[in-house]
Amino acid sequence: MAEAAGSREQPAAGRAPPDAAHRAEEEPEPASLDAPAAAAGRRRERRSGVSAVGTAERFPGGSLGTAAAPDPDACLLEAAKATPRRSSIIKDPSNQKCGRKKTVSFSSMPSEKKISSASDCISFMQAGCELKKVRPNSRIYNRFFTLDPDLQALRWEPSKKDLEKAKLDISAIKEIRLGKNTETFRNNGLADQISEDCALSVIHGENYESLDLVANSADVANIWVSGLRYLVSRSKQPLDLMESSHNTPRFAWLKTVFEAADVDGNGIMLEDTSVELIKKLNPTLKESKIRLKFKEIQKSKEKLTTRVTKEEFCEAFSELCTRPEVYFLLVQISKNKEYLDANDLMLFLEAEQGVTHITEEMCLDIIRRYELSQEGRLKGFLAIDGFTQYLLSPECDIFDPEHKKIVQDMTQPLSHYYINASHNTYLIEDQLRGPADINGYVRALKMSCRSIELDVCDGPDNEPIICNRNNMTSPLAFRNVIEVINKLAFFASEYPLILCLGNHCSVPQQKVVVQHMKRIFGNKLYTEAPLSSEVYLPSPEKLKMKIIVKGKKLPCDQDILEGEVTDEDEEAEISRRLSEDFSREPKLIWLCRELSDLVSLCKSVQYKDFETSMKAQNYWEMCSFSEAEASRIANEYPEDFVNYNKKFLSRVYPSAMRIDSSNLNPQDFWNCGCQIVAMNYQTPGPMMDLHTGWFLQNGGCGYVLRPSVMRDEVSYFSANTKGIVPGVSPQVLHVKIISGQNFPKPKGACAKGDVIDPYVCIEIHGIPADCTEQRTKTVQQNSDNPIFDESFEFQINLPELAMIRFVVLDDDYIGDEFIGQYTIPLECLQPGYRHIPLRSFVGDIMEHVTLFVHIAITNRSGGGKAQKRSLSVRIGKKAREYTMLRNTGLKTIDEIFKLAVHPLREATDMRENMQNAMVSVKELCGLPPIASLKQCILTLSSRLVSSDNAPSVTLCMKDAFPYLEPLGTVPDVQKKVLAAYDLMIQESRVLIEMADITHDKIVQCQKAGMEFHEELHNLGTKEGLKGRKLSKAIESFAWNITVLKGQGDLLKNAKNEALENMKQIQLACLSCGLSKTGSGHADAKSKRCLEAIQEKDAGDENGRL
């Protein structure tokens, strides 16, 4: 082994510094870590889905805590004159990640040759390339690394050492790690400037020293990691296995494909036939690209024929159809084979994809369905092409299939749900010139819209019509419209449909409206009078298959056949505003009793202020807010708006200044709890992307349950919160953008060929504290399979309200930059390696156009569900943030809350201690922070195996907890890992055993506080509080109750996670053979302990927690 080849992974205390000779060899060189970014120049300002003036696609008052504009509608009118830009949505500048400049990726492959086999990796390594060598002293040196021709050693230069010392023998290598997963990287002062995807470490020697390197690109790092792992795993086998790829399962399959098509049996075929055959195997390939590849191959062999041999066919297919990023992944999870067996696939699905309860038979079934070769299907292995097909299949879609079903509680009051809503449903064009069209209703109802609008006017022959009153040229017969509504009302969802009736009819035609609705809708029409004994609206479950009419209603206590009511004429607003005699005086219209009686649960009333509404408004009454008014209220009274929406329905409609039918940002009003945010379905773009993406969840039924912090009667939440939400555990979203597939040229692009320079923007939408965006580098002139290989992290403070939008754009556009997008709620993301099916600008799925990503969601302090990995953030007790309770100023209540301070600290300490212990184990195992505990056990087990393949530790179950006991002498470097493992088990045990007691204390304080809820005003009066001080006391009380409930839930979830971890660790030990002690008794005992963990887990689910 080479002397001083790298730094120690776990250096002993008091280790001497490098000697002078070593320092002389490692003279620093002026190497920039961000040379490509620096060379690329400044980032071009990217087009946004927001107009710079007045934030036309954002709401006018500013959604991220900015001051309200003096005249929002005037700004909107000005903005409407500009064409909205398509690509993305500008966030609060304070949330932008600095330093993410436009960078350009140039291929690092020699002559654009793709890596499609282990031999390609070996050849690349033998040719050599420059890597940066990282030392523990934070110095970084440029060195040229090569692999010896005999494949026995890794060498680097320049070096003042003897050539025989500036090398590392392959036989001395223990592990090869991708990413910054050694102490050298973690402690290096320049670590933040080093890309995670470009870093790799070679662990060698009995003391697990590390040679830490940084490649110029992620693909180069992957080549070295894959090649070295392949060499290490094959070091004891004959070398001829690596010198050709002709013995792989893939080559054998391709030979059979060729021979089946070679009808003459001559071993050659026409180029046209070969092109057709490859197109049949991979329909996404362009014919011109296949022909060009054949010409390249024939030119390299100095052939002038148009006939193709078997070898040339296999070579062309391999180079054209191998995605390097998928090949690297396959080699990694197959333990350096070029195919997956059932065990490899099972581990991949469990550890990476988060699939639970997977069996070997299920894996064999996947192999049988996706493997292309008959031999692979029979023998049970998945080669690169079958694996690629599997990753592209719906089974690996990013959208969690569970959320394609109804998964939320549908028995809550109607006011507790966001409701999919359409504005001016009858329009398919803009507000001024657009004619009424029946297809507007068809489209909305097929998209699960649950609130649609009907503007009804007097028509000829005593038949009411629906029309755009700014364009009367193509009215729709009211009768025909409601017949279509009746037919499609429950086509996409069985939950209630709300008809927002804009009544502009005379009394006689109002009666015709009633006759048609009763006759056509029949018993679907909900007309039951609301019960005064209730305090909340009925649930969607109770209102299934019902049509609810929203509109004005005559007073119930007056026995009149018709009367005057105020007219909420949204459509006439623009005409009045543009006229010189504009007046804000409300207009009165006549309403007949028959139409009034159709309105039951959604009586329209005018909003005055929250104090009046909370005292006088009935639960079945609802207010409609213009965009400008809702924006003002959201900025000035965010907490009151949320509290109001716990009980009452709110409808927000776009400003009348949006004459082009542009859309408001629905997220801004969802953050305030507004249930019905009406959208112009006819106008695609970023805002409609958010709306459509949001309502994909919960089975696409058009109803989405709001977060509990926005539903609970006593809870605190502000829509403008800039940080952590009380009682909610922040999560961290880890996104790696790996590659893209088959990107089309932007549809609106002009004066340009088919070449594009794509990059990806990742946008986070949610509460203001969560809104941000980041972008990848630009990949030059590659639309077929651009490789990005960039990782990002986003802290999400309120996960239940967060969405992620992936936008692919062309950086060298003329006329149009938009390539595709996909928007998905955070709650619907599946972890692991996923393909994202990109949608066009109008929202259609584009065939074969995908984005390949890796997703992990964790909590901020290091843990997550077992299937969603964990985050490497250790928070010591001194720096630990405890959620603080507020002083209400009410002595009796404050004494109760003081009793909760200690249990809350205990709960936080138990959770954080367990997560910190987990992080330590992962770091010492050399795994990335998002690795699962199962991956830790698998890594650890490979280290703890002696030369005769006997494990040096065994699983020992003590009180149903999985400890590891040494069977003999364990090296010092592994003792440290085992000590960290024991600490993790111990902290998990403390949490599991103490959680119930601490949880009970927290719940008791919460219940004791809630007993005073009804008496808050009286207590405040006794304490001399009034006005703003009393309101502040009530707000602090709600904050404390929210914190207690939330922290109790977090502790409950942490205990369940710890139980799941213990179960997963034991299963991993069983599968790795660490429980085999030579007797069946030990295995039986382990199984009994596993059953005990499962029973304990089930018991806790059904018990107090």
Side-chain angles (χ1 to χ4, degrees):
M1 186 181 66
E3 181 182 344
S7 59
R8 283 283 297 278
E9 165 57 4
Q10 288 121 8
R15 180 184 175 194
D19 58 34
H22 187 84
R23 287 196 298 270
E25 186 250 327
E26 302 288 19
E27 282 300 319
E29 299 175 4
S32 169
L33 285 170
D34 196 22
R42 279 187 186 277
R43 168 184 172 178
R44 177 188 295 131
E45 279 303 315
R46 183 171 54 79
R47 291 194 299 169
S48 166
V50 188
S51 174
V53 181
T55 57
E57 285 277 348
R58 205 74 170 151
F59 72 67
S63 65
L64 299 178
T66 56
D71 187 353
D73 279 334
C75 293
L76 284 167
L77 183 60
E78 186 67 27
K81 297 175 183 176
T83 303
R85 311 189 85 165
R86 295 183 173 190
S87 61
S88 181
I89 301 167
I90 291 176
K91 309 294 184 305
D92 183 349
S94 65
N95 281 358
Q96 296 299 316
K97 302 293 183 182
C98 58
R100 177 66 63 177
K101 295 180 180 178
K102 169 184 168 181
T103 57
V104 180
S105 170
F106 296 95
S107 173
S108 52
M109 302 295 100
S111 69
E112 298 298 320
K113 179 176 174 60
K114 277 190 179 180
I115 298 296
S116 58
S117 67
S119 357
D120 292 339
C121 295
I122 302 301
S123 299
F124 181 91
M125 293 160 62
Q126 287 176 320
C129 73
E130 187 176 88
L131 300 172
K132 293 178 176 66
K133 189 176 177 184
V134 183
R135 300 288 296 161
N137 58 8
S138 294
R139 291 187 177 182
I140 298 175
Y141 312 94
N142 287 323
R143 295 291 178 262
F144 194 84
F145 281 78
T146 55
L147 176 66
D148 274 356
D150 61 2
L151 314 179
Q152 297 301 308
L154 188 64
R155 297 182 184 272
W156 58 90
E157 58 183 25
S159 174
K160 292 186 178 179
K161 289 189 174 187
D162 186 281
L163 288 177
E164 289 304 307
K165 290 188 176 180
K167 73 169 188 176
L168 179 61
D169 292 334
I170 299 298
S171 60
I173 297 176
K174 300 288 187 184
E175 297 174 12
I176 301 94
R177 301 175 185 172
L178 183 61
K180 299 183 288 188
N181 296 310
T182 63
E183 281 194 21
T184 297
F185 277 124
R186 285 192 291 268
N187 299 329
N188 192 293
L190 299 174
D192 288 343
Q193 301 177 40
I194 297 171
S195 167
E196 180 79 24
D197 307 301
C198 296
L200 65 145
S201 300
V202 182
I203 311 301
H204 58 91
E206 295 304 318
N207 291 323
Y208 280 68
E209 294 176 292
S210 67
L211 172 62
D212 299 292
L213 307 169
V214 180
N216 289 328
S217 65
D219 51 4
V220 171
N222 276 314
I223 290 171
W224 282 97
V225 169
S226 300
L228 288 172
R229 284 175 175 170
Y230 192 88
L231 287 171
V232 170
S233 66
R234 300 291 195 278
S235 59
K236 298 179 183 179
Q237 298 181 20
L239 295 181
D240 59 6
L241 286 176
M242 294 173 287
E243 300 198 352
S244 171
S245 61
H246 289 196
N247 294 326
T248 63
R250 180 195 221 178
F251 192 80
W253 165 65
L254 286 173
K255 283 196 294 186
T256 61
V257 170
F258 184 91
E259 288 163 1
D262 180 18
V263 291
D264 297 330
N266 296 327
I268 58 174
M269 66 171 64
L270 291 173
E271 183 180 298
D272 289 347
T273 309
S274 299
V275 170
E276 289 175 13
L277 188 54
I278 290 180
K279 277 281 290 178
K280 183 178 178 182
L281 295 172
N282 189 342
T284 64
L285 285 175
K286 298 173 185 173
E287 181 179 329
S288 58
K289 189 171 183 179
I290 303 172
R291 291 191 184 278
L292 182 62
K293 178 56 66 177
F294 279 128
K295 283 182 172 57
E296 287 177 7
I297 293 171
Q298 289 164 358
K299 184 179 179 182
S300 68
K301 297 180 180 180
E302 298 182 351
K303 287 175 58 178
L304 298 176
T305 179
T306 57
R307 295 182 180 272
V308 176
T309 67
K310 186 187 303 181
E311 289 72 21
E312 290 167 349
F313 173 81
C314 294
E315 182 181 351
F317 181 88
S318 296
E319 291 197 20
L320 288 167
C321 300
T322 302
R323 287 171 48 187
E325 73 280 19
V326 176
Y327 172 75
F328 293 137
L329 176 61
L330 180 138
V331 171
Q332 174 189 334
I333 61 181
S334 68
K335 303 180 183 66
N336 312 302
K337 304 188 295 291
E338 296 204 349
Y339 62 88
L340 300 175
D341 58 30
N343 287 330
D344 296 328
L345 186 56
M346 189 185 304
L347 175 60
F348 172 69
L349 294 175
E350 288 179 339
E352 279 293 352
Q353 303 296 88
V355 181
T356 55
H357 310 300
I358 193 76
T359 64
E360 185 176 359
E361 183 52 42
M362 291 165 69
C363 294
L364 289 171
D365 178 62
I366 290 172
I367 291 170
R368 285 190 289 267
R369 285 187 287 120
Y370 292 101
E371 173 55 30
L372 300 179
S373 71
Q374 186 175 359
E375 180 190 9
R377 292 193 293 269
L378 291 173
K379 293 183 177 179
F381 64 75
L382 196 61
I384 179 68
D385 301 293
F387 184 51
T388 304
Q389 292 294 319
Y390 172 64
L391 289 176
L392 283 165
S393 73
E395 293 182 56
C396 290
D397 190 86
I398 194 171
F399 194 92
D400 188 343
E402 283 298 306
H403 288 273
K404 293 182 179 180
K405 302 178 288 188
I406 306 294
V407 293
Q408 296 175 351
D409 178 10
M410 301 303 289
T411 63
Q412 300 272 333
L414 206 62
S415 59
H416 288 183
Y417 297 85
Y418 297 114
I419 302 172
N420 190 342
S422 162
H423 176 244
N424 288 351
T425 315
Y426 49 85
L427 288 181
I428 59 171
E429 294 179 25
D430 64 54
Q431 309 290 322
L432 282 182
R433 298 176 301 277
D437 194 308
I438 195 72
N439 288 314
Y441 291 98
V442 174
R443 174 185 54 204
L445 292 171
K446 286 187 174 181
M447 291 176 68
S448 298
C449 186
R450 297 290 85 196
S451 172
I452 60 177
E453 297 183 11
L454 300 94
D455 277 325
V456 192
C457 301
D458 282 354
D461 303 324
N462 201 35
E463 277 295 332
I465 58 171
I466 288 178
C467 64
N468 179 356
R469 282 169 298 121
N470 296 310
N471 180 359
M472 303 287 286
T473 56
S474 58
L476 303 173
F478 176 77
R479 180 183 66 251
N480 295 342
V481 170
I482 63 170
E483 282 176 348
V484 169
I485 292 172
N486 184 57
K487 182 180 178 181
L488 297 175
F490 305 106
F491 172 84
S493 171
E494 59 185 356
Y495 291 101
L497 174 67
I498 300 172
L499 302 185
C500 298
L501 196 64
N503 171 30
H504 314 292
C505 293
S506 61
V507 169
Q509 292 211 15
Q510 288 179 31
K511 294 180 179 180
V512 177
V513 166
V514 174
Q515 292 169 9
H516 286 325
M517 293 179 79
K518 286 185 174 181
R519 178 180 58 84
I520 293 171
F521 292 146
N523 60 8
K524 294 177 186 174
L525 207 56
Y526 187 90
T527 56
E528 294 178 23
L531 300 174
S532 56
S533 58
E534 298 288 336
V535 292
Y536 284 102
L537 289 163
S539 69
E541 186 67 31
K542 187 174 181 181
L543 295 170
K544 264 185 180 179
M545 307 299 288
K546 293 296 181 183
I547 294 175
I548 301 168
V549 177
K550 170 201 169 287
K552 286 291 182 178
K553 195 170 177 64
L554 294 172
C556 296
D557 55 356
Q558 295 180 20
D559 188 16
I560 54 176
L561 295 179
E562 54 188 57
E564 283 189 318
V565 293
T566 56
D567 179 21
E568 294 180 351
D569 190 349
E570 298 160 15
E571 293 312 303
E573 182 183 348
I574 184 169
S575 300
R576 294 202 309 272
R577 281 182 174 271
L578 296 178
S579 65
E580 293 181 1
D581 59 343
F582 170 63
S583 171
R584 291 185 179 272
E585 288 299 318
K587 179 184 173 185
L588 296 177
I589 60 169
W590 283 92
L591 178 68
C592 71
R593 173 61 68 182
E594 292 90 338
L595 186 55
S596 171
D597 288 345
L598 291 186
V599 177
S600 171
L601 296 178
C602 293
K603 176 187 174 183
S604 293
V605 295
Q606 286 191 321
Y607 167 81
K608 183 179 179 183
D609 55 56
F610 287 129
E611 184 177 357
T612 304
S613 295
M614 298 304 279
K615 289 179 180 177
Q617 188 171 332
N618 295 306
Y619 71 85
W620 62 83
E621 296 174 335
M622 63 178 288
C623 296
S624 290
F625 300 87
S626 70
E627 178 185 353
E629 184 180 24
S631 299
R632 178 186 62 78
I633 295 170
N635 280 316
E636 295 178 8
Y637 311 106
E639 299 91 349
D640 293 335
F641 213 170
V642 171
N643 287 330
Y644 172 83
N645 286 322
K646 290 176 183 178
K647 184 175 181 181
F648 307 110
L649 287 176
S650 289
R651 174 176 165 272
V652 179
Y653 57 90
S655 168
M657 296 297 100
R658 294 186 182 275
I659 55 177
D660 60 348
S661 292
S662 59
N663 274 308
L664 49 74
N665 187 342
Q667 188 80 53
D668 300 323
F669 305 106
W670 291 336
N671 290 345
C672 300
C674 297
Q675 301 88 349
I676 303 174
V677 182
M679 302 293 287
N680 289 311
Y681 268 58
Q682 71 271 30
T683 308
M687 303 310 164
M688 200 61 204
D689 294 341
L690 293 182
H691 182 269
T692 304
W694 181 250
F695 286 103
L696 288 175
Q697 60 185 311
N698 200 28
C701 73
Y703 285 82
V704 173
L705 189 63
R706 298 207 314 252
S708 61
V709 73
M710 301 174 74
R711 304 190 317 261
D712 293 341
E713 184 181 0
V714 181
S715 62
Y716 175 85
F717 176 75
S718 171
N720 289 341
T721 182
K722 291 291 192 298
I724 294 174
V725 178
V728 177
S729 177
Q731 292 184 342
V732 175
L733 170 66
H734 305 257
V735 180
K736 182 176 183 180
I737 304 293
I738 303 172
S739 64
Q741 291 73 49
N742 310 305
F743 289 165
K745 173 184 170 184
K747 279 200 169 182
C750 55
K752 187 180 176 187
D754 290 333
V755 176
I756 61 171
D757 298 344
Y759 68 100
V760 182
C761 267
I762 309 161
E763 304 171 355
I764 306 298
H765 298 267
I767 60 173
D770 294 340
C771 290
T772 186
E773 65 179 7
Q774 294 195 47
R775 60 158 287 172
T776 67
K777 65 196 175 193
T778 297
V779 177
Q780 289 280 350
Q781 300 185 7
N782 190 336
S783 61
D784 297 330
N785 190 38
I787 304 293
F788 300 99
D789 262 327
E790 286 193 72
S791 299
F792 305 90
E793 287 187 4
F794 304 92
Q795 177 165 313
I796 312 295
N797 293 287
L798 187 55
E800 288 177 275
L801 266 187
M803 275 190 289
I804 178 170
R805 183 171 182 258
F806 300 90
V807 195
V808 183
L809 305 164
D810 182 4
D811 212 357
D812 189 27
Y813 66 91
I814 299 175
D816 186 15
E817 62 180 336
F818 182 86
I819 295 171
Q821 68 83 31
Y822 187 81
T823 308
I824 180 173
L826 186 77
E827 298 280 295
C828 298
L829 286 174
Q830 286 209 94
Y833 291 92
R834 305 289 171 183
H835 278 92
I836 299 173
L838 293 180
R839 293 178 179 265
S840 69
F841 183 65
V842 296
D844 297 330
I845 292 288
M846 296 186 286
E847 191 176 16
H848 303 309
V849 181
T850 55
L851 197 61
F852 188 40
V853 301
H854 182 271
I855 300 289
I857 302 174
T858 69
N859 66 44
R860 189 180 61 149
S861 55
K865 295 178 181 177
Q867 67 267 29
K868 288 193 176 178
R869 258 80 73 227
S870 67
L871 165 69
S872 177
V873 175
R874 283 184 291 183
I875 303 175
K877 281 194 175 183
K878 289 184 179 179
R880 192 166 288 170
E881 294 179 7
Y882 296 97
T883 306
M884 304 300 293
L885 296 176
R886 293 180 177 178
N887 191 346
T888 65
L890 304 174
K891 186 175 180 182
T892 307
I893 296 175
D894 285 338
E895 289 298 323
I896 293 172
F897 287 139
K898 281 180 183 177
L899 297 175
V901 172
H902 185 65
L904 287 175
R905 291 182 69 91
E906 279 185 343
T908 301
D909 286 340
M910 285 191 288
R911 295 198 327 268
E912 299 286 358
N913 290 344
M914 182 187 76
Q915 303 302 347
N916 289 347
M918 287 171 59
V919 170
S920 294
V921 171
K922 292 173 188 179
E923 288 182 351
L924 292 173
C925 287
L927 290 172
I930 57 173
S932 67
L933 286 178
K934 183 160 190 174
Q935 289 170 313
C936 290
I937 297 299
L938 293 170
T939 302
L940 192 56
S941 67
S942 64
R943 294 186 187 180
L944 299 172
V945 174
S946 60
S947 55
D948 58 352
N949 287 328
S952 56
V953 299
T954 185
L955 175 68
C956 179
M957 299 302 296
K958 298 178 182 176
D959 302 324
F961 289 93
Y963 289 89
L964 293 177
E965 287 194 351
L967 293 175
T969 305
V970 177
D972 290 344
V973 72
Q974 305 306 346
K975 284 181 181 177
K976 188 174 181 181
V977 184
L978 291 175
Y981 174 86
D982 284 345
L983 178 62
M984 178 184 70
I985 299 298
Q986 189 58 37
E987 294 293 355
S988 300
R989 182 170 186 167
V990 169
L991 174 61
I992 291 168
E993 293 177 347
M994 297 299 297
D996 286 353
I997 298 171
T998 306
H999 182 267
D1000 284 348
K1001 292 178 182 176
I1002 294 172
V1003 171
Q1004 285 168 10
C1005 290
Q1006 180 190 349
K1007 288 180 177 178
M1010 283 299 293
E1011 289 178 2
F1012 290 93
H1013 173 231
E1014 302 294 337
E1015 301 297 322
L1016 284 177
H1017 282 86
N1018 294 335
L1019 288 172
T1021 303
K1022 290 180 182 177
E1023 297 281 350
L1025 301 180
K1026 56 184 178 181
R1028 181 60 189 155
K1029 287 186 178 180
L1030 180 59
S1031 298
K1032 194 68 180 174
I1034 295 171
E1035 180 183 296
S1036 297
F1037 177 85
W1039 168 282
N1040 292 346
I1041 294 297
T1042 305
V1043 167
L1044 292 172
K1045 181 182 182 299
Q1047 293 297 314
D1049 290 343
L1050 291 177
L1051 183 59
K1052 173 178 65 176
N1053 295 336
K1055 179 184 174 180
N1056 291 337
E1057 180 191 338
L1059 286 166
E1060 180 65 23
N1061 287 342
M1062 298 302 100
K1063 189 162 53 176
Q1064 293 302 320
I1065 288 171
Q1066 189 181 359
L1067 287 171
C1069 288
L1070 289 169
S1071 65
C1072 294
L1074 294 182
S1075 63
K1076 295 178 182 177
T1077 57
S1079 69
H1081 174 70
D1083 286 337
K1085 183 178 178 182
S1086 292
K1087 287 179 182 177
R1088 286 197 301 273
C1089 290
L1090 181 59
E1091 290 169 1
I1093 292 176
Q1094 291 168 335
E1095 288 173 8
K1096 186 179 181 65
D1097 194 0
D1100 287 326
E1101 285 295 323
N1102 297 324
R1104 284 174 302 179
L1105 294 188

